[in-house]
Short mmCIF file of all heavy atoms in Angstrom, two decimals:
data_model
loop_
_atom_site.label_atom_id
_atom_site.label_comp_id
_atom_site.label_asym_id
_atom_site.label_seq_id
_atom_site.Cartn_x
_atom_site.Cartn_y
_atom_site.Cartn_z
N HIS V 691 149.37 68.32 -19.35
CA HIS V 691 148.86 67.67 -20.55
C HIS V 691 148.76 66.14 -20.37
O HIS V 691 147.81 65.53 -20.85
CB HIS V 691 149.77 67.97 -21.76
CG HIS V 691 149.51 69.34 -22.33
ND1 HIS V 691 148.56 69.57 -23.29
CD2 HIS V 691 150.12 70.55 -22.11
CE1 HIS V 691 148.57 70.86 -23.63
NE2 HIS V 691 149.50 71.46 -22.91
N SER V 709 126.90 54.99 -21.22
CA SER V 709 125.91 55.40 -22.20
C SER V 709 125.60 54.35 -23.25
O SER V 709 124.58 54.46 -23.98
CB SER V 709 126.36 56.72 -22.92
OG SER V 709 127.43 56.44 -23.82
N HIS V 715 118.93 53.69 -29.62
CA HIS V 715 117.50 54.07 -29.74
C HIS V 715 117.40 55.59 -29.59
O HIS V 715 117.78 56.13 -28.56
CB HIS V 715 116.63 53.36 -28.68
CG HIS V 715 116.70 51.87 -28.78
ND1 HIS V 715 115.95 51.16 -29.77
CD2 HIS V 715 117.37 50.94 -28.08
CE1 HIS V 715 116.20 49.88 -29.60
NE2 HIS V 715 117.06 49.70 -28.59
N TRP V 724 123.11 63.21 -21.57
CA TRP V 724 123.47 63.54 -20.18
C TRP V 724 124.84 62.96 -19.83
O TRP V 724 125.65 63.63 -19.19
CB TRP V 724 122.41 62.98 -19.22
CG TRP V 724 122.66 63.33 -17.81
CD1 TRP V 724 122.34 64.48 -17.15
CD2 TRP V 724 123.35 62.51 -16.83
NE1 TRP V 724 122.74 64.44 -15.81
CE2 TRP V 724 123.38 63.25 -15.61
CE3 TRP V 724 123.92 61.25 -16.86
CZ2 TRP V 724 123.96 62.76 -14.46
CZ3 TRP V 724 124.51 60.76 -15.70
CH2 TRP V 724 124.55 61.51 -14.52
N ALA V 730 132.08 65.90 -20.37
CA ALA V 730 132.59 67.22 -20.73
C ALA V 730 132.83 68.10 -19.49
O ALA V 730 133.90 68.68 -19.31
CB ALA V 730 131.61 67.92 -21.67
N GLY V 738 140.95 72.35 -14.58
CA GLY V 738 141.10 73.66 -14.00
C GLY V 738 140.52 74.79 -14.84
O GLY V 738 140.93 75.96 -14.68
N GLU V 744 128.78 85.47 -21.34
CA GLU V 744 128.09 86.74 -21.58
C GLU V 744 127.00 86.44 -22.60
O GLU V 744 127.23 85.81 -23.64
CB GLU V 744 129.09 87.76 -22.14
CG GLU V 744 128.47 89.10 -22.49
CD GLU V 744 129.43 90.03 -23.19
OE1 GLU V 744 130.67 89.78 -23.09
OE2 GLU V 744 128.97 90.99 -23.84
N SER V 773 128.52 71.61 -22.32
CA SER V 773 128.19 72.22 -21.03
C SER V 773 127.20 73.36 -21.19
O SER V 773 126.32 73.58 -20.30
CB SER V 773 129.46 72.70 -20.35
OG SER V 773 130.37 71.67 -20.11
N PHE V 794 136.42 55.51 -27.27
CA PHE V 794 135.78 56.77 -27.53
C PHE V 794 135.18 56.81 -28.93
O PHE V 794 134.07 57.29 -29.14
CB PHE V 794 136.76 57.92 -27.38
CG PHE V 794 136.22 59.28 -27.73
CD1 PHE V 794 135.50 60.04 -26.83
CD2 PHE V 794 136.41 59.79 -29.03
CE1 PHE V 794 134.99 61.28 -27.15
CE2 PHE V 794 135.90 61.03 -29.37
CZ PHE V 794 135.20 61.77 -28.44
N VAL V 797 131.71 55.05 -29.35
CA VAL V 797 130.60 55.85 -28.84
C VAL V 797 130.38 57.08 -29.68
O VAL V 797 129.25 57.45 -30.01
CB VAL V 797 130.87 56.24 -27.37
CG1 VAL V 797 129.76 57.16 -26.84
CG2 VAL V 797 130.95 54.99 -26.49
N GLN V 821 119.85 66.11 -41.63
CA GLN V 821 118.41 66.34 -41.77
C GLN V 821 117.62 65.29 -41.03
O GLN V 821 116.61 65.57 -40.39
CB GLN V 821 118.02 66.40 -43.25
CG GLN V 821 118.64 67.56 -43.97
CD GLN V 821 118.13 67.69 -45.39
OE1 GLN V 821 116.97 68.00 -45.63
NE2 GLN V 821 119.00 67.43 -46.38
N TYR V 826 114.46 63.79 -36.00
CA TYR V 826 114.30 63.06 -34.75
C TYR V 826 114.17 64.00 -33.55
O TYR V 826 114.00 63.57 -32.42
CB TYR V 826 115.45 62.09 -34.52
CG TYR V 826 115.34 60.81 -35.28
CD1 TYR V 826 116.32 60.38 -36.17
CD2 TYR V 826 114.25 59.95 -35.08
CE1 TYR V 826 116.25 59.16 -36.85
CE2 TYR V 826 114.15 58.73 -35.76
CZ TYR V 826 115.14 58.37 -36.64
OH TYR V 826 115.02 57.18 -37.32
N LEU V 844 142.97 84.37 -36.66
CA LEU V 844 141.95 84.70 -35.64
C LEU V 844 140.68 83.89 -35.88
O LEU V 844 140.13 83.31 -34.97
CB LEU V 844 141.63 86.19 -35.69
CG LEU V 844 140.59 86.70 -34.69
CD1 LEU V 844 141.13 86.56 -33.23
CD2 LEU V 844 140.17 88.13 -34.96
N SER V 850 129.71 76.51 -45.93
CA SER V 850 128.30 76.89 -46.05
C SER V 850 127.31 75.87 -45.45
O SER V 850 126.12 76.19 -45.29
CB SER V 850 127.92 77.10 -47.51
OG SER V 850 128.71 78.15 -48.05
N ILE V 868 134.02 81.81 -28.59
CA ILE V 868 134.85 81.28 -27.49
C ILE V 868 136.25 81.87 -27.56
O ILE V 868 136.93 81.77 -28.59
CB ILE V 868 134.93 79.73 -27.57
CG1 ILE V 868 133.52 79.15 -27.50
CG2 ILE V 868 135.81 79.21 -26.43
CD1 ILE V 868 133.49 77.64 -27.72
N THR V 873 144.89 79.84 -26.54
CA THR V 873 146.17 79.92 -25.84
C THR V 873 146.26 79.02 -24.63
O THR V 873 147.34 78.60 -24.23
CB THR V 873 146.44 81.40 -25.39
OG1 THR V 873 145.32 81.82 -24.61
CG2 THR V 873 146.57 82.28 -26.60
N LYS V 918 133.86 87.24 -35.51
CA LYS V 918 135.14 87.95 -35.67
C LYS V 918 135.18 89.23 -34.84
O LYS V 918 136.19 89.51 -34.16
CB LYS V 918 135.38 88.24 -37.14
CG LYS V 918 136.80 88.85 -37.39
CD LYS V 918 137.05 89.10 -38.86
CE LYS V 918 138.44 89.69 -39.04
NZ LYS V 918 138.70 90.04 -40.45
#
Side-chain angles (χ1 to χ4, degrees):
H691 281 273
S709 73
H715 299 282
W724 183 84
E744 178 187 342
S773 300
F794 175 85
V797 175
Q821 294 186 68
Y826 278 123
L844 180 67
S850 300
I868 301 173
T873 55
K918 186 178 181 184

